[in-house]
Amino acid sequence: MEPTMEDTVAGDFGLINKLDIQCDLKTLSGDLTESFDSEEKKKGKSPKKGASNEFIQSQDIEEKLGSGEPSHPVKMPMAPKPGKGADLSKPPCRKAKEIRKERKRLKLMQQNPAGEPEGFQAQGEPPSLFPPKANKSNQPKSLEDLIFESLPENASHKLEVRVVRSSPPSSQFKATFQESYQVYKRYQMVIHKDPPDKPTVSQFTRFLCSSPLEAENPPNGPDCGYGSFHQQYWLDGRIIAVGVIDILPYCVSSVYLYYDPDYSFLSLGVYSALREIAFTRQLHQKTSQLSYYYMGFYIHSCPKMKYKGQYRPSDLLCPETYVWVPIEQCLPSLENSKYCRFNRDPEAVDEGRSKDPDRLQVFYKKAIMPYGVYKKQQKDPGEDRNCPAPPP
C-alpha cells in the first residue's frame, strides 16, 4: 500500500528533525568534551582515558533539542576524538546544506500537496519524497474493459465467445453438438463424479438443450432474440466451457455451466459469471428493460450455491412476500436459520396473491393450464392434499 501524502510529509519531517538532532548533538558533544578537558586541566587533573565512551546527562541538551523531543534527560555517548575514527553507533551526519534543501522541499510540499512543487524539477533534485504517481495500468478496470479488452495479433492464445441458440437448435449449435457434449461428459465425471454411463446424450439433451421457451425476435429486443442459448467459450479453436443461459425480456438467467476439467486453473466459473454480467449490460444498451442478471436459487448452507452471494449488489427474493431484499440484510438471518422471511414488515403480504388457487396458472408437460385443470388430470386423488399450491 502506498503511503498518503500526509503520512509521507509527517515521516519526512520526523527524518529531518532527527537529522538535525544528530548533527547538533555531535557538535554539542564535541564542545562538551573540550570544556570537560579544559576543566580537568584547570584543576590539575588529567582527563580520564574512558571519558569519550561515557554517557552525559545534561539539561542543556534538552534545551538544544527543542520542544519536539521528550522532556526527560537524553543520554548521548561522547563523540570520538579526532583521529580516532567515526562513531559507528550513529548514522553519518549530513551537511547543513543538504538539510536546508530537505526543509525547502518539505515546505514546498505543504504549500502544494496536490502536485509537484514549483521549481523543484528545475533544481535537478530527484523527487524521492513524493509517492510515485499512479500508473494507468495499475488502476481498477471496468467490467467492460476487463472482458472486452482486445488482444494483440501476436497473442499466444485466442479466446472467442459464441452465443448459439439451443432451442430450437441453430445450425451452429448442431455443428458443435458432439464437441459440446464431450466437454459436458468429462465435466460430470471429473467434477461431479458421475459414472461414465450416466451423462448420456439423451440426458444431456433433456437437461441442457431442450427448453419450453419459444424463440422470439421482436424488433425492440436484442439482436439474438429471446429464448434459450448456449454461450460457448472457444480457446485456440476448441470448446473449453459452455454457459447455458435464457435471455428473457427483463433478465438474463444463468442456468448451468460446464467446462473442460483440464482448464480448472482458469477459474472459469468466476469468469463466466463476469462475462454473463457484462453480456447483460451489453444487451441493456439496446433493450433498456432487460436490466437484471438472475443466478438462480441461493442456498446459504450449500457451498455450491453460496458463492452467488459474492457478486454485489445482489438481492434475494422473500419467499413469503415476493419482494427483493438486499443480500446484506438477509445474511444475518440465514446464519441462524435455513428458511427465513426477508421482508421485515410483519404485516406485508404477497400483493399478487390469488384467493382462488384453482385459477392459478401452472406449467405442466410444456403446457400452461389452471391449477384446477391440472388437479383433475392427476390419477392420485390424494395428490391435492399432499402437494401445496404453487406460487403465482
Side-chain angles (χ1 to χ4, degrees):
M1 298 293 291
E2 295 180 353
T4 61
M5 181 63 71
E6 291 80 7
D7 295 337
T8 305
V9 172
D12 288 329
F13 269 121
L15 173 63
I16 299 305
N17 290 335
K18 190 173 182 181
L19 292 173
D20 285 343
I21 293 167
Q22 290 170 349
C23 294
D24 292 339
L25 284 175
K26 183 172 181 180
T27 304
L28 179 62
S29 60
D31 296 340
L32 290 173
T33 304
E34 294 177 2
S35 176
F36 178 80
D37 292 344
S38 60
E39 289 295 330
E40 293 291 332
K41 290 180 180 179
K42 287 180 181 180
K43 296 179 181 180
K45 300 179 181 179
S46 59
K48 296 181 180 179
K49 293 182 179 180
S52 60
N53 295 326
E54 292 180 356
F55 288 92
I56 297 178
Q57 179 174 326
S58 172
Q59 186 65 27
D60 295 336
I61 298 179
E62 284 189 66
E63 297 173 358
K64 186 80 174 181
L65 295 180
S67 59
E69 290 297 308
S71 59
H72 57 77
V74 178
K75 295 183 178 181
M76 189 67 193
M78 299 294 293
K81 291 183 178 181
K84 297 295 184 181
D87 187 353
L88 300 179
S89 64
K90 305 191 190 82
C93 184
R94 299 179 62 189
K95 294 182 179 180
K97 183 179 180 181
E98 294 179 358
I99 297 175
R100 287 195 299 271
K101 286 184 178 181
E102 292 287 349
R103 286 175 174 168
K104 183 178 180 181
R105 291 166 66 183
L106 291 173
K107 184 177 180 180
L108 291 172
M109 285 175 61
Q110 286 184 309
Q111 295 174 354
N112 185 23
E116 296 285 343
E118 298 179 2
F120 176 68
Q121 295 293 341
Q123 298 175 7
E125 292 288 338
S128 58
L129 295 181
F130 293 92
K133 289 186 177 180
N135 192 340
K136 290 185 178 180
S137 61
N138 294 331
Q139 294 299 310
K141 292 183 178 181
S142 67
L143 182 60
E144 285 73 16
D145 290 340
L146 174 67
I147 297 298
F148 302 118
E149 182 178 9
S150 59
L151 297 176
E153 293 294 333
N154 59 347
S156 302
H157 302 281
K158 182 180 179 181
L159 175 67
E160 182 183 1
V161 180
R162 304 176 188 174
V163 179
V164 298
R165 184 180 291 277
S166 58
S167 179
S170 64
S171 58
Q172 300 95 327
F173 178 81
K174 292 178 181 178
T176 58
F177 180 85
Q178 281 298 328
E179 183 176 357
S180 181
Y181 162 68
Q182 292 299 328
V183 175
Y184 168 77
K185 184 176 181 178
R186 291 197 62 211
Y187 173 82
Q188 292 296 122
M189 293 170 58
V190 176
I191 303 300
H192 294 289
K193 311 303 180 184
D194 285 355
D197 58 340
K198 182 178 180 180
T200 61
V201 173
S202 60
Q203 186 266 346
F204 170 66
T205 303
R206 183 176 64 255
F207 180 35
L208 296 177
C209 302
S210 299
S211 171
L213 298 180
E214 295 183 1
E216 293 185 4
N217 290 86
N220 61 341
D223 295 336
C224 59
Y226 298 124
S228 298
F229 298 84
H230 280 197
Q231 198 168 40
Q232 301 174 341
Y233 295 79
W234 292 74
L235 181 64
D236 300 335
R238 58 175 296 188
I239 298 177
I240 65 167
V242 176
V244 182
I245 60 174
D246 291 334
I247 301 178
L248 305 172
Y250 296 98
C251 73
V252 171
S253 176
S254 179
V255 179
Y256 200 72
L257 172 77
Y258 58 92
Y259 55 85
D260 189 333
D262 291 342
Y263 295 89
S264 299
F265 66 94
L266 293 178
S267 299
L268 292 171
V270 175
Y271 179 76
S272 66
L274 295 176
R275 187 93 194 193
E276 290 170 3
I277 293 172
F279 181 55
T280 304
R281 290 165 62 159
Q282 194 177 37
L283 296 178
H284 173 73
Q285 296 178 358
K286 169 86 184 289
T287 309
S288 59
Q289 74 270 14
L290 201 164
S291 54
Y292 296 101
Y293 175 60
Y294 179 65
M295 301 187 74
F297 290 111
Y298 175 82
I299 304 177
H300 189 69
S301 58
C302 178
K304 291 183 179 180
M305 294 290 187
K306 189 177 180 179
Y307 76 92
K308 300 176 183 180
Q310 298 175 358
Y311 300 89
R312 306 293 176 87
S314 292
D315 294 332
L316 295 181
L317 189 67
C318 178
E320 296 181 3
T321 61
Y322 295 97
V323 296
W324 294 98
V325 181
I327 191 172
E328 292 84 358
Q329 299 180 19
C330 306
L331 293 180
S333 300
L334 289 172
E335 290 289 343
N336 298 325
S337 175
K338 292 183 179 181
Y339 177 83
C340 302
R341 172 191 170 102
F342 300 141
N343 194 325
R344 296 182 178 179
D345 181 4
E347 303 297 329
V349 296
D350 175 20
E351 296 180 356
R353 71 189 187 280
S354 174
K355 297 181 179 179
D356 186 1
D358 287 344
R359 300 183 61 182
L360 291 176
Q361 299 292 308
V362 298
F363 190 80
Y364 177 66
K365 291 185 177 181
K366 297 187 177 182
I368 298 176
M369 63 185 69
Y371 181 67
V373 176
Y374 163 79
K375 184 171 55 175
K376 293 179 181 179
Q377 292 182 357
Q378 305 307 308
K379 296 180 181 180
D380 184 6
E383 183 175 349
D384 183 51
R385 295 191 301 272
N386 299 328
C387 179

